[in-house]
Amino acid sequence: MKLEKVHVTNFRSVDDSEEFSVEPVTCLVGKNEAGKSAILLALAALNPHLSTPATFDKERDYPRRLLTQYEDRHSGKAAVAITTTWRLTSPEAARIAATVGEGVVTTDLITISRAYGKEVDVSVDLDFGKALEHLYTKFQLDDSERSVLSSADTTSKLITTLAEISSPTERHAALKSHLEPVLNLMRNERCA
């Protein structure tokens, strides 16, 4: 993936960097304490290397003069420190299509952000209809097996619907087993 845009907010001396493009050569210019290093630190904390862990710590990194207003400014939610836009390369898009189905990912742009006290958040436009069709075809569900799942229009609803089937077929069970890692991820996110 290629980094295309960056937007840093609420991080050290940077209240709002405004979104800026990242080119093969990008130069950050500003006075001392203007936030040049803060932008680089925010990028490092987006997805840090294990040997140099970097996090967004509210007490350390949120702008000090605004720390007492944190809850009011963010309505009890975690403040987003960095939002980035990435472009998939053709080989990456092809690998994703081979895994989740052709046309499921509807754009080659992915938004990756991180807020204080949270893990990385990845946002991409998906066609859930095509994703579900890919799964039904992959697990060779026939019309009667598909009709039981007709209320599901997202992966989350599909997981819930599969769990509620009183007598699942072998193919339903195989599909449910395939989706278990997604269910576990959803459970972990709810607990966080």
Side-chain angles (χ1 to χ4, degrees):
M1 289 191 307
K2 179 184 179 292
L3 179 61
E4 293 216 336
K5 295 181 182 177
V6 175
H7 188 188
V8 177
T9 54
N10 307 306
F11 184 72
R12 298 194 178 185
S13 60
V14 180
D15 290 336
D16 187 343
S17 71
E18 297 188 5
E19 185 176 77
F20 62 91
S21 296
V22 177
E23 302 299 329
V25 176
T26 301
C27 182
L28 300 175
V29 178
K31 297 178 184 178
N32 287 345
E33 301 299 319
K36 301 177 301 291
S37 296
I39 287 172
L40 297 175
L41 286 170
L43 276 166
L46 179 66
N47 189 19
H49 189 273
L50 294 175
S51 66
T52 55
T55 61
F56 292 114
D57 181 274
K58 183 171 73 170
E59 302 296 323
R60 180 192 65 214
D61 297 324
Y62 193 81
R64 290 182 194 269
R65 70 187 188 293
L66 302 172
L67 189 56
T68 58
Q69 303 165 28
Y70 184 92
E71 295 301 322
D72 292 335
R73 291 185 79 211
H74 304 288
S75 305
K77 297 179 182 172
V80 175
I82 186 168
T83 303
T84 57
T85 303
W86 300 76
R87 186 171 301 278
L88 291 170
T89 63
S90 294
E92 290 166 334
R95 282 196 307 271
I96 291 171
T99 303
V100 299
E102 194 67 44
V104 172
V105 177
T106 62
T107 178
D108 63 349
L109 294 176
I110 296 176
T111 301
I112 302 175
S113 61
R114 193 162 187 194
Y116 285 91
K118 300 290 183 179
E119 292 299 317
V120 171
D121 180 59
V122 178
S123 176
V124 63
D125 292 333
L126 302 173
D127 182 330
F128 284 103
K130 289 183 180 177
L132 296 176
E133 181 58 37
H134 173 76
L135 288 169
Y136 299 162
T137 302
K138 179 178 180 175
F139 287 89
Q140 302 174 351
L141 272 61
D142 62 29
D143 289 341
S144 64
E145 291 168 319
R146 289 173 184 230
S147 69
V148 174
L149 305 172
S150 63
S151 65
D153 57 358
T154 65
T155 311
S156 301
K157 289 181 184 173
L158 175 60
I159 291 168
T160 302
T161 305
L162 282 166
E164 293 170 350
I165 297 175
S166 57
S167 353
T169 66
E170 285 183 30
R171 290 183 279 225
H172 282 144
L175 176 56
K176 183 180 175 190
S177 176
H178 175 76
L179 294 172
E180 281 295 322
V182 176
L183 179 60
N184 292 334
L185 180 64
M186 289 168 40
R187 284 181 187 143
N188 290 340
E189 285 181 2
R190 282 189 208 124
C191 294

